[in-house]
Amino acid sequence: MQDLNAAEQSIIGALLLTNGKILDELDFNPRDYHQPIHEVVHRTIAEMKAANQPIDALTVMDALARAKEPIPATFLHEAMQATPSAASATHYAGIVTDAATLRRVQSAATSVHQMVHDGGDADVIVEEARKLMDGTQPRSRNQRVSFLEDTMEATINYLDEEVDSVPTIWPSLNDIITGLRPGAVYVVGARPSVGKSVVAMQMAQALLKVGSVAFVSLEMSVNDLTSRLISNELKIDMGRIVRHDLTPTDWKRISEWMPKRQHVPLAINDNSGSTIADIRAFARNVNRRKPLAGVVVDYMQLMSAPIGDRRPRHEFVSEMSRQLKILAMDLHVPVIALSQLNRSSESREDKRPGLSDLRESGSIEQDADVVILLHREIMGDKKNDISFAVAKNRHGATGMAHMQFAGHYSEVRDA
């Protein structure tokens, strides 16, 4: 502890001896000080430097007194005298940061131990433990300063590479969004029965060409989803599949199809009570088995809140939306999240949905990289016409793509 106090004292001394100039080189978070008085002095000096005020023992003492943060009269002079070399401030900061990191690890370990003692869902505890441990990392060391001159060459090289995205099966949609980008969240919104689950499965099929897919279905079973896949790929009428009224020809085609498709890396979680912790754990487990190409969540508003979470529903959905974006960034894969729309669009003359119709939270729109709103007349002559309105596109333009809905084959086709 004595060495830690000396290191903290030496940082303060270095700040005073250099008139605060060492701050430009110091990669250090003042919150990492163990002694609160050192953090107060450090922040005061930083504020004075930002205001272009002279920094020495007298001016800093005066600023602290005016801020009603009194310190012993000899404190600053002792800090300067105890500093072996102002040029070594970065080394002293490393000692303090390491000590702070270990304190955070110890605190996180205590919290994890308490969660284990209290009991609960194992997957939730594991995910919370992971978050706590991730939060122990010293942020200051990860915040490398890069100016444009440092990154320009890498950006030019990046622009010369092929676009790192997986095209969907619909060329007209690819013309607008390019494809499914790693780290991006794609929200597909629609009213019930329009076809969003069909769209989600076809997006998953596109991703399966490059890796595994973690498909979280909160309203349909594994049998339901696999049946849709069979109908789509073999063009067997979905009605016959639902009625279990398959013909000998159908069974023959299925028997020939199974050996080719049974090793397709599509992992389906049909636990209707899944929380965001469950979804994260499931996606990571799939990724450990086979490299992940994407995650599909059908649909957001059905995600369950953790036990004891009493937040209003819109706050909970906002948090889930943010967590899906973090999941996409952490795993570097596209996340496709289906979303229920409210009934506002039904009162409009054209009945077409807008971004304001995303149900329960504006944060869904904020966190999404791309928002695709589906529209289809359920009845009438145009019931097979389905439109994809790209209402938000963080990586490009918005626009409309017109498709054909073939519900009997669980398929949407490019028009």
Side-chain angles (χ1 to χ4, degrees), residues 16 18 49 64 73 79 113 202 210 274-275 313 347 375 388 405:
L16 293 166
T18 63
K49 184 176 186 300
L64 288 166
H113 182 270
Q202 288 188 266
V210 297
S274 291
T275 65
R313 186 65 188 177
S347 62
H375 175 69
F388 287 47
F405 183 73

Side-chain angles (χ1 to χ4, degrees), residues 44-317:
T44 299
I45 293 174
E47 291 170 2
M48 293 174 67
K49 184 176 186 300
N52 292 318
Q53 296 174 0
I55 296 169
D56 57 39
L58 290 177
T59 58
V60 173
M61 184 71 75
D62 180 63
L64 288 166
R66 285 187 282 106
K68 297 183 180 180
E69 296 281 3
I71 60 174
T74 60
F75 181 86
L76 299 181
H77 289 289
E78 289 175 354
M80 289 189 290
Q81 292 173 359
T83 304
S85 170
S88 299
T90 299
H91 175 70
Y92 309 143
I95 295 173
V96 175
T97 297
D98 286 345
T101 300
L102 292 177
R103 290 197 301 274
R104 287 192 290 268
V105 170
Q106 185 176 38
S107 176
T110 301
S111 297
V112 172
H113 182 270
Q114 186 61 49
M115 285 191 292
V116 173
H117 179 269
D118 293 342
D121 185 275
D123 287 336
V124 172
I125 293 175
V126 168
E127 285 302 318
E128 288 300 318
R130 182 180 285 111
K131 286 168 61 178
L132 285 170
M133 295 307 295
D134 287 346
T136 65
Q137 294 296 321
R139 292 187 178 183
S140 60
R141 292 188 178 182
N142 296 328
Q143 297 174 347
R144 179 177 176 270
V145 176
S146 297
F147 293 104
L148 191 60
E149 62 181 343
D150 302 316
T151 61
M152 181 63 78
E153 184 176 352
T155 300
I156 297 302
N157 291 335
Y158 165 76
L159 294 176
D160 192 42
E161 298 172 355
E162 292 186 12
V163 176
D164 185 18
S165 62
V166 179
T168 71
I169 66 168
W170 307 292
S172 59
L173 181 62
N174 295 333
D175 288 343
I176 303 173
I177 68 170
T178 304
L180 305 174
R181 294 170 175 260
V185 172
Y186 295 80
V187 171
V188 179
R191 293 286 300 142
S193 301
V194 168
K196 58 182 180 294
S197 293
V198 172
V199 169
M201 178 56 79
Q202 288 188 266
M203 285 184 166
Q205 287 171 274
L207 291 168
L208 285 169
K209 296 176 181 178
V210 297
S212 66
V213 173
F215 198 115
V216 182
S217 177
L218 303 174
E219 66 171 352
M220 288 192 292
S221 68
V222 171
N223 288 338
D224 291 334
L225 290 170
T226 306
S227 295
R228 287 171 178 255
L229 187 65
I230 291 171
S231 174
N232 176 271
E233 296 201 353
L234 296 181
K235 300 299 179 281
I236 296 176
D237 192 287
M238 192 64 194
R240 294 206 302 274
I241 293 177
V242 171
R243 295 190 302 270
H244 295 194
D245 187 25
L246 297 171
T247 67
T249 301
D250 293 335
W251 282 116
K252 182 175 184 298
R253 294 172 63 195
I254 291 173
S255 64
E256 293 173 348
W257 173 82
M258 283 182 60
K260 302 174 185 176
R261 299 298 282 167
Q262 62 183 358
H263 298 299
V264 169
L266 174 63
I268 299 173
N269 175 2
D270 61 358
N271 178 8
S272 60
S274 291
T275 65
I276 187 63
D278 296 329
I279 293 170
R280 282 198 302 263
F282 177 64
R284 288 195 174 102
N285 287 339
V286 173
N287 191 45
R288 279 192 284 269
R289 290 280 301 276
K290 294 183 179 179
L292 196 64
V295 177
V296 179
V297 179
D298 182 9
Y299 58 90
M300 289 181 64
Q301 284 84 1
L302 289 181
M303 285 192 293
S304 296
I307 296 174
D309 190 333
R310 298 180 180 178
R311 286 176 294 176
R313 186 65 188 177
H314 71 278
E315 290 185 11
F316 166 71
V317 174

Side-chain angles (χ1 to χ4, degrees), residues 369-380:
D369 293 87
V370 175
V371 177
I372 301 171
L373 303 176
L374 307 180
H375 175 69
R376 181 173 68 89
E377 299 292 342
I378 305 300
M379 306 293 289

